[in-house]
Every structure is written in structure tokens, then in C-alpha cells.
Amino acid sequence: QVQLVESGGGLVQAGGSLRLSCAASGRIFSINAMGWYRQAPGKQRELVATMTTGGTTNYADSVKGRFTISRDNAKNAAYLQMNSLKPEDTAVYYCNIRGEVPYGWNYWGQGTQVTVSS
């Protein structure tokens, strides 16, 4: 019943910007953290950025200073502002939410393609 809808992906030139959005809906008790992961062709899925409900953030070194994660707890939404994009950022970006109430759970979105051309 829980669904994550991602939007904002697309094609952009190097140095450009994109803003990804993720909205969670359904029967959600309490979200502990929301985040973004990405997977490039032939590579493992990797963490991009996460944010706990309390506001603690964690960024991959490769995106630190360029990407900013934010959230709207009331809307169960997460955002990823991506600036100074590089071709190496090309990947499918996935929204993730997790919580512990009433028990541990984890959900993923379908992913949105981000392509950065040189």
C-alpha cells in the first residue's frame, strides 16, 4: 500500500542542476529517515544522501558540497537539489524511506533517470 513517487529526473548538461522530488503515500506510521541512492550501469547501488527525521544528514563524498537533501515531514516528502552536475552523476536515482514503527520496514521508489552530458 505504501508508494513512493519520484520526479525531476532528466537530461542535463554538465554544470547544470536538477531537483528530484519523492513523495510517500499510504499507511505509514513513522518515518525515521528518507534518502536517495543511485545506481549507474554496471555498478552497485550507492548512497547519495540521507536525512533522519531529526535532521541529521549524511552525504557521499562524491556529492558533498554539490547536492543538498531536504524533507517535508508533514508531507512525507524528500527532495534532492543537485548542482554542478557531472557526467559521473549519471545514474538511476532511487528514493528510500525507512522506519521502525510498528517494526522495522523499508521501501524503495521505482527510480528516476538522471543523465548528465559532457
Side-chain angles (χ1 to χ4, degrees):
Q1 291 183 317
V2 176
Q3 294 184 337
L4 276 63
V5 179
E6 299 142 318
S7 62
L11 175 65
V12 65
Q13 292 184 329
S17 299
L18 286 173
R19 186 172 187 262
L20 306 183
S21 299
C22 173
S25 63
R27 304 181 72 173
I28 304 172
F29 286 87
S30 182
I31 298 173
N32 282 359
M34 304 188 72
W36 293 91
Y37 295 73
R38 68 186 182 187
Q39 186 169 23
K43 300 185 67 176
Q44 299 291 323
R45 184 176 298 186
E46 64 177 355
L47 178 148
V48 177
T50 60
M51 174 177 275
T52 67
T53 303
T56 300
T57 58
N58 184 38
Y59 294 93
D61 288 340
S62 60
V63 308
K64 192 173 298 182
R66 300 188 297 119
F67 292 9
T68 303
I69 187 171
S70 60
R71 93 290 188 186
D72 186 333
N73 290 335
K75 297 181 179 180
N76 290 334
Y79 309 92
L80 185 68
Q81 179 66 46
M82 304 184 294
N83 298 326
S84 302
L85 283 162
K86 304 175 180 179
E88 305 90 83
D89 296 318
T90 296
V92 177
Y93 284 69
Y94 298 90
C95 180
N96 171 263
I97 59 172
R98 64 178 186 268
E100 298 179 357
V101 179
Y103 44 79
W105 53 265
N106 178 68
Y107 293 100
W108 293 90
Q110 292 295 313
T112 183
Q113 177 70 47
V114 172
T115 303
V116 184
S117 64
S118 59

